[in-house]
Amino acid sequence: MIERNLQLSGVDMLQLLGYNDSNLQLLEENFDASIAVRGDKVAIRGEEQEVKRIEKVIKEMVFLLTKNGSVSLQDVTTVIDLVNVSPAGAGEPTLTERKDTEEDIVLFTRTGVIKARTSGQQYLVQQARRNDVVFAIGPAGTGKTYLAVALAVAALKNREVTKVVLTRPAVEAGESLGFLPGDLKEKIDPYLRPLYDALEDMISSEKLLSYIEKGIIEIAPLAYMRGRTLHNSFVILDEAQNASSMQMKMFLTRMGSRSKLIITGDITQIDLPTRTESGLVQIQTVLKHIQGISFVYLEKGDIVRHKLVQDIVDAYDKFGAERSGRSS
């Protein structure tokens, strides 16, 4: 007898298990092993061969759910038949065959799997799962914001939190936003657009709109966080290098019970007025010894955008070093 534990982070477990757990019941009827589900974790206990077959069926079900948005009883029956005929299965490859490790996977979406792709990103995901407050600091293109949003959406899907809050400082508009044309949404949207873009990659337009209308997902400028306490929430502060020290303290003290915070930023791209100290720079000294808070530093090797992005970052670094050398 062996026991195998599967971590299915970011999977819609209600869809996977079926109405009234009908898909799960079908698995139990077809295999001589026990299957226990708690949250996004599945424990399988039985003879080794049976456990391996069930694991393969579940991973194929996840693949179908990711691809099609649902898994029917007929889908499960077909996958069971294929796995019983051939242990390797047939048709679409499983996650194992695509060399994706469960530890690196953050979220399953309709278009594919979002996972940590570099050692720095892997460390970020690990720390975000272990700590309630994580600072992700690194250059543009290292996936800080995208991974943070994926972790938040996964926590929402897994019912680890009931609300996701995404916020950014609107530095160029002086936080007041009053002089810009249009209503409030039109004023702040340009500053929050990158957060919308990430969400739209992970959640269907209809569901995202519903979440926003119901307040399950909230996207707002940092100034709008003042005076609030956010319980049972996954909260992301993006572009944190543009938050002042007072704004950073204000944001961190919004944290309520059963909440997680991820703060992302690039300390080489500070847009604050010259005499204003970046809260993200200061906070590395203030909180460096507090247990439960983790600082993750991503590097140029973690850049996952177009290959030219890393060359651009290198060129700017070289240019800055040369100019500093000439001025000294």
Side-chain angles (χ1 to χ4, degrees):
M1 298 282 286
I2 67 167
E3 182 170 322
R4 188 70 56 85
N5 294 294
L6 303 181
Q7 174 85 39
L8 303 180
S9 301
V11 175
D12 187 332
M13 297 302 290
L14 289 178
Q15 289 276 6
L16 185 72
L17 300 178
Y19 180 70
N20 286 338
D21 291 340
S22 55
N23 292 342
L24 177 61
Q25 292 171 18
L26 187 59
L27 284 176
E28 292 173 331
E29 290 169 4
N30 281 272
F31 295 99
D32 186 19
S34 67
I35 308 171
V37 180
R38 179 172 294 178
D40 62 350
K41 298 177 179 63
V42 180
I44 311 166
R45 182 174 176 81
E47 296 297 328
E48 183 175 6
Q49 196 62 32
E50 287 289 271
V51 170
K52 285 183 176 179
R53 286 195 175 109
I54 294 171
E55 182 180 7
K56 186 168 285 295
V57 170
I58 290 174
K59 289 184 175 181
E60 291 286 2
M61 289 167 62
V62 169
F63 186 91
L64 289 171
L65 177 59
T66 302
K67 183 178 179 182
N68 303 326
S70 63
V71 182
S72 66
L73 280 171
Q74 183 58 52
D75 292 330
V76 180
T77 300
T78 301
V79 171
I80 290 172
D81 289 344
L82 289 171
V83 168
N84 282 335
V85 170
S86 171
E92 301 287 358
T94 65
L95 295 171
T96 301
E97 293 162 347
R98 291 187 298 163
K99 298 182 175 60
D100 289 340
T101 64
E102 292 168 10
E103 292 78 13
D104 294 340
I105 293 170
V106 176
L107 182 68
F108 295 89
T109 73
R110 294 173 303 161
T111 56
V113 175
I114 297 174
K115 63 174 184 171
R117 295 169 58 186
T118 69
S119 58
Q121 289 188 353
Q122 288 169 343
Y123 185 64
L124 171 56
V125 170
Q126 290 168 5
Q127 292 304 301
R129 288 171 175 164
R130 294 172 185 168
N131 297 280
D132 288 338
V133 179
V134 175
F135 291 83
I137 301 171
T142 50
K144 306 180 298 295
T145 301
Y146 200 78
L147 274 179
V149 174
L151 285 162
V153 172
L156 185 64
K157 283 189 173 183
N158 295 335
R159 292 172 174 75
E160 296 167 14
V161 297
T162 58
K163 185 180 182 69
V164 169
V165 179
L166 312 176
T167 185
R168 272 184 155 200
V171 168
E172 296 89 340
E175 287 287 355
S176 68
L177 305 171
F179 67 88
L180 292 175
D183 60 19
L184 177 63
K185 186 175 187 302
E186 290 169 333
K187 292 174 191 288
I188 65 177
D189 267 1
Y191 303 98
L192 305 177
R193 188 66 248 172
L195 300 174
Y196 283 105
D197 290 343
L199 284 169
E200 287 168 354
D201 278 356
M202 303 171 196
I203 304 174
S204 68
S205 299
E206 298 79 10
K207 184 168 284 188
L208 177 57
L209 181 61
S210 173
Y211 281 163
I212 292 174
E213 288 176 345
K214 294 175 181 176
I216 296 172
I217 292 180
E218 180 181 349
I219 309 172
L222 178 58
Y224 287 66
M225 296 297 106
R226 195 176 305 278
R228 304 177 62 185
T229 302
L230 299 167
H231 297 293
N232 202 23
S233 301
F234 200 117
V235 192
I236 297 171
L237 170 57
D238 191 35
E239 298 288 345
Q241 75 277 3
N242 289 329
S244 68
S245 58
M246 289 302 295
Q247 287 175 323
M248 180 64 75
K249 179 181 178 182
M250 178 274 290
F251 172 77
L252 293 173
T253 53
R254 300 309 93 202
M255 187 178 188
S257 60
R258 301 180 305 281
S259 289
K260 294 180 78 76
L261 305 183
I262 294 185
I263 300 94
T264 69
D266 178 1
I267 56 176
T268 69
Q269 294 188 1
I270 298 171
D271 299 317
L272 291 167
T274 306
R275 295 184 180 180
T276 304
E277 183 177 12
S278 168
L280 186 60
V281 173
Q282 183 191 74
I283 207 70
Q284 295 173 72
T285 302
V286 176
L287 300 182
K288 63 181 178 181
H289 296 306
I290 296 184
Q291 193 170 12
I293 296 177
S294 176
F295 288 87
V296 177
Y297 295 92
L298 298 163
E299 301 175 347
K300 288 181 287 186
D302 296 305
I303 292 175
V304 292
R305 290 181 185 168
H306 193 287
K307 62 184 180 64
L308 285 175
V309 172
Q310 188 160 347
D311 295 335
I312 291 167
V313 171
D314 288 338
Y316 269 100
D317 288 347
K318 182 179 179 182
F319 175 76
E322 291 174 348
R323 186 164 63 176
S324 297
R326 289 196 299 269
S327 63
S328 61

